Amino acid sequence: MKLPLLSLALTAVSVGATVPLSSVQRTTTSPNNALAGEYIVEMNNVQGLGGKRAYASTHDTLYRSLRKRGISFDVKKEYNQPGIMVGAALKVASPQDVQQIATMAEVKAIRPVIAVPAPERINQFTVSSPNDSRITADSETTHIMTGVDKVHAAGITGEGIKIGIIDTGIDYNHPLLGAGFGPGFKVIGGYDFVGDDYTGSNNPAPDDDPLDNCNGHGTHVAGIIGANPGNDFGISGVAYGSSIASYRVFGCSGFVSDDIIIDALLRGYSDGMDILTLSLGGVEGWTESSSSVVASRIADQGRVVTIAAGNDGAYGSWYASSPGTGVDVISVASVNNIAIPVQNATVQGVEHAPIPYLEALPLNVTGSRPIYATSTDTTVADDACNALPNDTPDLSGYVVVIKRGTCTFVTKLQNAAAKGANTFLIYNNGGSFSAISVGDYTAALISETDGTFLVNQFAAKANITISFPQSGSAWNYPDDVSGGLVSDFSSYGPSYDMYFKPAVAAPGGNILSTLPIALGSYGVESGTSMATPFTAGSAALILQAKGKSVAKSIRNLFQTTASAVASSKTDGDPLQTVSQQGAGLIQVDRAIGTTTVVSPGQLTLNDTAHFEGFKTFNIQNTGSKAVTYKISHVPAGTAASVQSGSIFAADGPVPLTADYAQVTFSLNKVTVLPGVSVPILVWFKPPQGVDASTYPVYSGFIEIAGLGETLRVAYLGVAASLKDKAVVDNTDEYFGVKIPALLDASGDVQGNSTNYTLVGDDVPSLLYRFAFGSAHVRVDLVEKASTVSATLSKRNWWNWWWPQKPSNSYDKVPIVGTLAEYDYVPRNSDASTIDDNGYNVFQFTDSFVNGTKIAAGEYKVLLRALKVTGNPAEEGDYETWLSPSFSVVPA
Ligand SMILES: *[C@@H]1O[C@H](CO)[C@@H](O)[C@H](O)[C@H]1NC(C)=O
Ligand SMILES: *[C@@H]1O[C@H](CO)[C@@H](O)[C@H](O)[C@H]1NC(C)=O
Ligand SMILES: *[C@@H]1O[C@H](CO)[C@@H](O)[C@H](O)[C@H]1NC(C)=O
Ligand SMILES: *[C@@H]1O[C@H](CO)[C@@H](O)[C@H](O)[C@H]1NC(C)=O
Ligand SMILES: *[C@@H]1O[C@H](CO)[C@@H](O)[C@H](O)[C@H]1NC(C)=O
Ligand SMILES: *[C@@H]1O[C@H](CO)[C@@H](O)[C@H](O)[C@H]1NC(C)=O
Ligand SMILES: *[C@@H]1O[C@H](CO)[C@@H](O)[C@H](O)[C@H]1NC(C)=O
Ligand SMILES: *[C@@H]1O[C@H](CO)[C@@H](O)[C@H](O)[C@H]1NC(C)=O
């Protein structure tokens, strides 16, 4: 699980070519990004012992019992927030002790400490003056899209509301952010949990000053919430009247472990923040990480918690980001701004209008250059996905034109760069302009029309050159194609436990905001990182307008008054799946002004095996006149979340079908008197005749249309049983060889018995991937003669006939020892690198996970992964893979 700051936009990654085995990094990865040996131990509530002292001494009681059991440990952090989290972050010497700790009476839960990697960014640039040729004045289109302009016009700016930002700190010296720190200033306080030099691998150096003048992410986030209006840039924060506290959890670079994020959440809670906002997170897919759980509990206590939904839309469904997965937090998706800043390139030699390219800054290319197209066929699907032909000329003097599709942008650019190319235009394959990830290459996206024109000119051997003016070529491209639609990069849910993720959407693309003065003062960034503070600021407007007592119903208000987002601009196309847009784009003026209150705002129907097809919602009329409401069903597109005939998730944009659920109501029309609340019963029937092997995620809205007010309740389910879904990748599609596989000491697939000394690099490595999440994964060493049968992808048909199976059959499988164990693991992505979660490796050491040395002998490796909704004690609920045999021999 990766938890970066979410101002990164990844795009269109898919495995066209297989990933070479030689590229595999043979070092153990933790599929859930857990730090070795570090755990958060949560203690049982000791009510009855009374008061704070009882809790304080609980920590000592815990440590005493640990010592009594011979468990050695270091205390990293203590938590003492009764009702939310009482416990400690511990470094445990022997991982075997974890099972023992879990069974202790005073322990409620034990969860791994998760590493949160450093922020990565694209499409970021700084601007120094409103006259900078590279930007166009922000017309506050984002405020218009969401009704924030109307709320501001009514004089509501978030006054009296406190917002805690958990991020990289804030440059509070910025004039738009109040130019000061402490009581009386805009940034009223906060805490630095880490210090500038913290990298995640060294010790944090906390202090009272959360100043950020080296990273900038948190300052950008703070400007979206709080930038003062009246500046030359024409920008203002959504809640510029609110007060901000800054909780700094990242150093200038590097990562943070989530025990620190929890510390920050608890500090914000006890400091009395009305709203906590976190523009960070990474794929987990489950609702169970410590930070998800703590964030959700804080939301339960009546504080608003907004968390980014993630920027992994390219990887498709079932890729929800944690801690946004916290059950009661507001996970925020991104919608594209209705205008995008672009640059124009100019064409010489042939008559053609300037070519807009998606870049905030001009490409750093001087002079004009001829073009070279890697294919003259404009219908090619996998342009430049493989090495270019040998007769390709030296491309160093050209602008190389490549079509989007099939493989990653970087793969295409690498292949062209291998022939000397250094300047690239990638043309679209039908989609719209959206941020693309091109690494360090000088490359930008252009439209399909302009790309086709250039390729045809090249094919006709026309005398055509392109140049990139370095000033005066910026403009606001009215985004008729994707403006107002969900950003491609915005992650898809739902969670593996079928929670509704994301909850809502807000503008998050190409947002101009503040940066630290030392980093240029102003800049443009994109991501769910930007949509999240927008939502936090919007929540502040609601709290000011309606009173803090509505905090617990803010998610409902946002959801029921949001506007549903289409999947395209083509008439007749379905609405975007709720698993990407949540309940829609927030409409803050409607959330404040509505006289009809509908709750709940979301209905979760689960899978077919745990189907909850009967639901109730309430319509309350808080107005002064009776209102007649018409109730109807508005379906959204059904997401074919898994590719047909495959075990792999469909990449984003996930294909949508018009196979809708059937929905019936107890009343299709109801008149509600003032002050009265009426329950409406709803019966759902999942879509019929769909291909269950595509795990169709169906969703939509129940529309409640009253007098001048239309509200909606969103619903979501999957028309398949998740227990049927293959978890372990047992194909050769990714590496070209069948996995799971044991790699030998030289990185080749090990066939028949091989000898290892387990000294230095003379060790085997297990290479494996997950096509779906698993709540429990274990790698064990078993005897060579083990008879455990491989059950990969075998359906448990006998479950239906024989539900009373012998219990605890999982623990009865004879093993020699455990090598690794992971809980709540997400699926892998189809990215080609381990850093982007493409695959997992377990590399042997000379010991089991508990530190005991592995004796000489003949063995196999047993990999087991629990299927979603499976029973952890039931061997039959696991997918199982048994390796070829090998020998451990004395050195
Ligand atoms: C920007 O340009 C306008 C006129 O074009 C000028 O009045 C203003 O002073 C300039 N601002 C800055 C910061 O250069
Ligand atoms: C191509 O166009 C450039 C200017 O655009 C001109 O200088 C050059 O002579 C032309 N070459 C040919 C072969 O027409
Ligand atoms: C543009 O490229 C030139 C030459 O490669 C380099 O010296 C210069 O620093 C670059 N400018 C910017 C703004 O990156
Ligand atoms: C950029 O090019 C488009 C046409 O492709 C044109 O409409 C627009 O005015 C140009 N803008 C600038 C600043 O050059
Ligand atoms: C869906 O069903 C599974 C299996 O019973 C359960 O664990 C999960 O919590 C349910 N999800 C929701 C949102 O109720
Ligand atoms: C493994 O052994 C079998 C026969 O025992 C043989 O057919 C096969 O080719 C061997 N595989 C490798 C990779 O050596
Ligand atoms: C493995 O080790 C055993 C005993 O140590 C030896 O008999 C055998 O030849 C070795 N096999 C290989 C392939 O080296
Ligand atoms: C570690 O695991 C091995 C293999 O399961 C077992 O034999 C050994 O007793 C364990 N050691 C400790 C200290 O628990």
Side-chain angles (χ1 to χ4, degrees):
M1 179 166 86
K2 310 242 173 193
L3 290 163
L5 296 166
L6 291 174
S7 62
L8 150 81
L10 283 174
T11 327
V13 199
S14 79
V15 183
T18 54
V19 173
L21 270 187
S22 57
S23 73
V24 168
Q25 286 174 33
R26 272 173 292 132
T27 47
T28 298
T29 51
S30 166
N32 57 2
N33 250 21
L35 296 186
E38 295 189 19
Y39 295 89
I40 291 168
V41 178
E42 183 180 358
M43 284 175 249
N44 270 317
N45 202 327
V46 284
Q47 259 157 21
L49 296 181
K52 263 199 154 117
R53 269 196 67 150
Y55 274 106
S57 64
T58 304
H59 286 93
D60 293 332
T61 315
L62 173 76
Y63 304 152
R64 266 201 306 277
S65 340
L66 288 171
R67 283 188 203 104
K68 221 165 65 197
R69 287 171 163 81
I71 297 170
S72 60
F73 61 93
D74 286 328
V75 180
K76 244 186 116 187
K77 244 177 212 309
E78 281 184 353
Y79 306 114
N80 200 357
Q81 191 65 61
I84 310 254
M85 169 62 90
V86 178
L90 302 181
K91 224 178 140 93
V92 180
S94 165
Q96 193 89 342
D97 294 338
V98 171
Q99 274 142 27
Q100 238 198 101
I101 297 172
T103 59
M104 284 164 55
E106 44 278 82
V107 171
K108 181 171 173 184
I110 176 163
R111 301 184 180 88
V113 173
I114 302 296
V116 184
E120 260 188 284
R121 293 192 180 127
I122 63 161
N123 252 22
Q124 179 204 358
F125 69 93
T126 59
V127 291
S128 51
S129 125
N131 294 350
D132 194 310
S133 68
R134 299 167 304 174
I135 64 153
T136 47
D138 188 313
S139 53
E140 302 222 81
T141 41
T142 57
H143 292 189
I144 296 165
M145 291 165 72
T146 51
V148 166
D149 57 335
K150 296 188 184 117
V151 181
H152 283 179
I156 296 166
T157 60
E159 244 171 275
I161 307 302
K162 286 189 259 182
I163 305 179
I165 299 175
I166 298 177
D167 210 293
T168 65
I170 297 177
D171 182 0
Y172 45 71
N173 293 319
H174 198 293
L176 266 54
L177 297 175
F181 179 66
F185 289 99
K186 181 187 289 287
V187 181
I188 53 173
Y191 192 71
D192 182 350
F193 290 87
V194 292
D196 279 4
D197 297 335
Y198 177 68
T199 62
S201 327
N202 53 5
N203 286 327
D207 64 49
D208 288 334
D209 183 0
L211 181 70
D212 168 21
N213 53 24
C214 60
N215 187 304
H217 185 276
T219 303
H220 199 271
V221 162
I224 291 170
I225 291 175
N228 286 327
N231 54 75
D232 292 342
F233 288 84
I235 58 171
S236 67
V238 172
Y240 59 81
S242 63
S243 298
I244 290 172
S246 171
Y247 301 102
R248 184 183 192 210
V249 297
F250 285 96
C252 294
S253 61
F255 67 93
V256 63
S257 49
D258 72 347
D259 55 326
I260 293 177
I261 295 174
I262 291 168
D263 218 355
L265 280 164
L266 296 178
R267 173 75 72 116
Y269 176 81
S270 62
D271 284 353
M273 292 298 126
D274 301 301
I275 298 167
L276 287 167
T277 188
L278 296 83
S279 290
L280 50 81
V283 62
E284 181 206 14
W286 300 88
T287 55
E288 294 290 340
S289 75
S290 293
S291 52
S292 304
V293 168
V294 168
S296 184
R297 287 180 191 158
I298 289 175
D300 283 343
Q301 298 294 316
R303 310 296 177 84
V304 179
V305 184
T306 53
I307 307 184
N311 294 339
D312 291 320
Y315 298 131
S317 308
W318 310 104
Y319 214 74
S321 176
S322 160
T325 45
V327 172
D328 287 320
V329 309
I330 303 177
S331 158
V332 186
S334 170
V335 160
N336 293 326
N337 202 337
I338 50 183
I340 352 177
V342 294
Q343 295 282 333
N344 273 352
T346 53
V347 176
Q348 299 85 37
V350 176
E351 197 68 32
H352 190 69
I355 294 180
Y357 61 96
L358 181 61
E359 203 62 50
L361 280 165
L363 290 186
N364 184 8
V365 177
T366 50
S368 55
R369 294 180 172 211
I371 57 175
Y372 183 88
T374 46
S375 170
T376 52
D377 175 5
T378 55
T379 64
V380 62
D382 62 347
D383 196 6
C385 286
N386 298 302
L388 300 188
N390 289 335
D391 61 359
T392 306
D394 172 15
L395 298 180
S396 57
Y398 292 91
V399 174
V400 177
V401 180
I402 307 175
K403 184 159 190 167
R404 178 178 194 164
T406 304
C407 59
T408 65
F409 295 109
V410 169
T411 302
K412 291 170 188 280
L413 301 175
Q414 271 165 354
N415 286 329
K419 299 291 182 187
N422 52 41
T423 304
F424 314 82
L425 291 175
I426 295 172
Y427 64 106
N428 237 335
N429 55 357
S432 56
F433 274 157
S434 64
I436 68 170
S437 178
V438 296
D440 288 334
Y441 290 102
T442 303
L445 187 71
I446 61 173
S447 73
E448 184 164 31
T449 317
D450 284 330
T452 305
F453 166 79
L454 291 177
V455 171
N456 289 339
Q457 293 296 316
F458 174 76
K461 301 194 164 39
N463 183 13
I464 179 173
T465 58
I466 292 188
S467 57
F468 300 90
Q470 296 299 298
S471 67
S473 61
W475 61 296
N476 239 340
Y477 183 89
D479 190 356
D480 299 331
V481 185
S482 71
L485 299 181
V486 181
S487 309
D488 283 352
F489 60 72
S490 203
S491 292
Y492 290 81
S495 69
Y496 295 114
D497 33 12
M498 286 307 290
Y499 281 88
F500 198 101
K501 297 291 165 191
V504 290
N510 289 311
I511 307 293
L512 175 60
S513 182
T514 48
L515 284 181
I517 296 166
L519 300 181
S521 294
Y522 299 93
V524 174
E525 294 194 17
S526 297
T528 51
S529 266
M530 283 65 241
T532 302
F534 195 99
T535 306
S538 301
L541 301 181
I542 300 176
L543 289 181
Q544 187 196 345
K546 295 179 87 87
K548 292 187 185 179
S549 62
V550 303
K552 265 185 107 162
S553 53
I554 278 201
R555 188 168 74 182
N556 266 349
L557 282 170
F558 274 138
Q559 290 184 318
T560 55
T561 59
S563 59
V565 180
S567 62
S568 84
K569 303 245 167 174
T570 307
D571 283 346
D573 278 2
L575 293 175
Q576 186 54 268
T577 170
V578 163
S579 63
Q580 193 190 24
Q581 71 162 310
L585 177 63
I586 58 170
Q587 298 297 323
V588 188
D589 57 329
R590 298 211 304 238
I592 290 173
T594 186
T595 57
T596 307
V597 177
V598 170
S599 66
Q602 57 179 48
L603 304 172
T604 48
L605 311 182
N606 223 319
D607 70 352
T608 48
H610 309 89
F611 184 54
E612 292 179 34
F614 171 62
K615 296 278 178 181
T616 309
F617 68 88
N618 290 291
I619 305 175
Q620 187 189 2
N621 178 3
T622 68
S624 54
K625 285 195 206 100
V627 179
T628 299
Y629 297 96
K630 256 190 86 213
I631 299 160
S632 59
H633 174 215
V634 180
T638 292
S641 69
V642 170
Q643 300 166 44
S644 182
S646 155
I647 61 169
F648 299 113
D651 275 335
V654 174
L656 301 179
T657 71
D659 303 304
Y660 302 137
Q662 277 174 37
V663 186
T664 45
F665 312 106
S666 54
L667 294 166
N668 292 315
K669 207 175 194 185
V670 60
T671 301
V672 183
L673 297 176
V676 171
S677 175
V678 172
I680 306 289
L681 316 182
V682 199
W683 289 268
F684 292 90
K685 203 170 158 200
Q688 304 296 299
V690 290
D691 178 359
S693 75
T694 65
Y695 293 81
V697 175
Y698 62 93
S699 61
F701 302 90
I702 296 158
E703 198 163 277
I704 302 110
L707 205 66
E709 281 182 350
T710 298
L711 288 88
R712 287 182 201 86
V713 176
Y715 68 86
L716 175 141
V718 60
S721 168
L722 293 183
K723 202 166 159 191
D724 294 338
K725 177 70 190 75
V727 172
V728 178
D729 176 1
N730 63 337
T731 73
D732 62 1
E733 287 184 36
Y734 186 86
F735 287 113
V737 297
K738 227 164 136 45
I739 50 170
L742 271 193
L743 301 185
D744 63 20
S746 44
D748 297 322
V749 174
Q750 182 211 296
N752 292 325
S753 206
T754 303
N755 289 347
Y756 301 96
T757 57
L758 303 189
V759 175
D761 290 339
D762 190 20
V763 290
S765 302
L766 170 66
L767 183 60
Y768 63 110
R769 299 181 73 240
F770 295 118
F772 211 53
S774 177
H776 189 56
V777 171
R778 214 164 84 182
V779 183
D780 291 310
L781 205 60
V782 296
E783 298 288 355
K784 181 189 182 186
S786 176
T787 54
V788 178
S789 58
T791 58
L792 271 184
S793 300
K794 213 174 14 175
R795 203 179 141 154
N796 257 338
W797 56 270
W798 50 273
N799 268 356
W800 299 11
W801 308 107
W802 193 252
Q804 246 79 58
K805 282 158 297 166
S807 67
N808 229 14
S809 50
Y810 174 69
D811 281 341
K812 288 182 182 151
V813 171
I815 62 164
V816 178
T818 296
L819 296 166
E821 187 165 20
Y822 311 101
D823 288 339
Y824 299 113
V825 171
R827 71 172 173 87
N828 288 102
S829 74
D830 57 3
S832 58
T833 63
I834 207 161
D835 289 342
D836 287 329
N837 191 29
Y839 58 93
N840 305 308
V841 171
F842 173 78
Q843 187 182 42
F844 274 61
T845 63
D846 60 359
S847 324
F848 295 106
V849 67
N850 68 0
T852 296
K853 291 263 188 297
I854 299 171
E858 291 181 296
Y859 303 108
K860 289 177 177 172
V861 171
L862 174 64
L863 169 69
R864 287 181 287 180
L866 183 62
K867 292 188 272 187
V868 174
T869 73
N871 173 356
E874 195 58 66
E875 176 64 9
D877 283 0
Y878 287 78
E879 286 185 357
T880 302
W881 175 81
L882 202 54
S883 77
S885 62
F886 59 91
S887 300
V888 171
V889 297

